[in-house]
Amino acid sequence: MRRPASIAPPKGKLGVLTPGMGAVSTTFMAGVELVRRGQSVPVGSLTQLGTIRLGKRTENRVPKIKELVPLAKLDDLVFGGWDVFPDDASQAAAKAGVLDVQDLGKVQKFLKTIKPMKAAFDQNYVKKLQGSHVKKGKTKFDLAEELRQDIRDFKKKNKLDRLVMVWCASTEVFLKPEAVHQDLASFEKAMKANHPAIAPSMLYAWAAINEGVPFANGAPNLTVDIPALQNLARDRNVPIGGKDFKTGQTLMKTVLAPAFKARMLGLNGWFSTNILGNRDGEVLDDPGSFKTKEESKLGALEYILQPNLYPELYKTIHHKVRINYYPPRGDNKEGWDNIDIFGWLGYPMQIKVDFLCRDSILAAPIVLDLALFFDLAQRAGMRGIQEWLSFYFKSPMCAPELYPEHDLFIQLMKLKNTLRWMKGEELITHLGAEYYD
Ligand SMILES: NC(=O)c1ccc[n+]([C@@H]2O[C@H](COP(=O)([O-])OP(=O)(O)OC[C@H]3O[C@@H](n4cnc5c(N)ncnc54)[C@H](O)[C@@H]3O)[C@@H](O)[C@H]2O)c1
């Protein structure tokens, strides 16, 4: 990829479209509105709070990221979305139960104005949901064309300059890449034939890319992780990426595992279990959707620990992940990890992590950062898979000949170096030999 010659300024308004207006999406919208009114702080958002060192350590140049690269301003964001339920964002946020009555009260009027468009939905892909607010198109191709029209209408109605789409809808059943996913002609033929390998999320992605709208996948669904849509994105100069927001347990995993490897400590097993009571938890109670999530959560350790390179330390790891739907907890998930490690001479040790987290509180700033960075990428002329945004994903997408990078700290370095590279700043290697000449 060539370095962008220039980055178009973020003039005008940026539409942020979320398929799915549930817990994550409405927490994101409410939060941005509270921040832009000066009633809250965007905790968890790298684009809003993060800084970036430039040049030598002696230069003391540490601007905010948003001062280095031209990001859209929060005031210029306009929200829209689709859902299988007709609830506006205020009702959906109240049902999700993430934010308290006080916070919701402050933005209730604003959230009421955000009404979902009818979803492209099929219960075969999300068994636990039954929704009435759905499109009636005969074929999957018709549905996707309706989504394209929705995007155009939304842009026109809100006088937007640009759009991005961030998938915040449910986790679909597990799908494997098939022949119909390999090229665009087969893919579109399959859409017209209502082929089962074409999931609703793929229709949104196809519509977005065709409308020149960057697409980020917040769920572990296959969606844009197929050659047909990746090639389409390259041909249309549209940035894409995914999959699955990296929020609670996997965030911790991709912090701890690199530490063990850095110190050459061994690992025998890692047992992760969760109790979760929101709608996402209910959807994941279906074995098909759980399988999609499980695959996404399992990948990280293998890639970080590289058992092929370190057989003495990581040859036989027992890695298990469980998610239990437990309604009393709502969005306030509890994730336990039992980690069996070993040290010098093979002596065993254990680490226990009990993370009482709030799922959507962790995910909302990720939606914001992805929307702003994907828009930046597009204005910088970057297209196809945006591997530099792996930092935000549990199962980062990358070029077919590469393995994904899961280590959070390498991901952050990659992200920041990409920003430096975009702006023609020196990349930071952390060598620092020049300070000791
Ligand atoms: N919160 C987190 O920490 C986190 C982390 C990683 C990934 N995710 C993923 O983000 C997604 C959203 O999570 P959530 O907690 O907001 O879930 P949620 O159930 O509260 O919201 C998802 C919404 O998507 C809607 N939906 C389902 N299929 C749709 C379709 N085809 N078109 C339009 N709308 C559709 C549902 O009706 C629901 O309202 C899930 O896939 C979840 O697995 C969440």
Side-chain angles (χ1 to χ4, degrees), residues 23-24 83 120 168-171 204 218 244-245 247 279-280 293 359:
V24 171
D83 207 287
C168 294
S170 309
T171 298
Y204 287 91
D244 206 5
F245 304 130
T247 49
R279 191 185 284 151
D280 186 32
K293 194 59 121 184
D359 246 9

Side-chain angles (χ1 to χ4, degrees), residues 6-12 70-72 161-162 375 379:
S6 64
I7 306 175
K11 66 175 178 51
L71 298 175
D161 187 60
R162 306 164 324 281
D375 172 53
R379 282 182 287 107

Side-chain angles (χ1 to χ4, degrees), residues 18-26 82-85 92 96 117-122 126 129 167-172 200-201 204 218-221 244-248 278-281 283-284 293 331 333 358-364 394:
T18 61
M21 281 179 42
V24 171
S25 156
T26 57
W82 293 264
D83 207 287
V84 308
F85 300 107
M117 298 177 267
K118 282 191 174 165
F121 179 72
D122 180 340
V126 188
L129 281 188
W167 177 269
C168 294
S170 309
T171 298
E172 296 172 333
S201 61
Y204 287 91
N221 310 333
D244 206 5
F245 304 130
K246 173 149 84 177
T247 49
N278 60 13
R279 191 185 284 151
D280 186 32
V283 164
L284 293 173
K293 194 59 121 184
D331 199 68
K333 181 160 92 178
R358 291 172 187 264
D359 246 9
S360 303
I361 293 295
L362 292 168
K394 275 205 236 342

Side-chain angles (χ1 to χ4, degrees), residues 280-306:
D280 186 32
E282 191 179 355
V283 164
L284 293 173
D285 213 28
D286 168 64
S289 290
F290 174 69
K291 167 93 175 134
T292 312
K293 194 59 121 184
E294 187 186 27
E295 291 281 320
S296 174
K297 279 178 164 259
L298 283 177
L301 279 189
E302 179 92 358
Y303 284 112
I304 292 174
L305 298 175
Q306 299 175 296

Side-chain angles (χ1 to χ4, degrees), residues 2-38:
R2 265 206 229 112
R3 191 166 76 74
S6 64
I7 306 175
K11 66 175 178 51
K13 298 221 172 281
L14 173 67
V16 184
L17 288 171
T18 61
M21 281 179 42
V24 171
S25 156
T26 57
T27 306
F28 152 69
M29 293 169 182
V32 170
E33 181 61 7
L34 284 167
V35 170
R36 51 190 183 190
R37 289 183 190 182

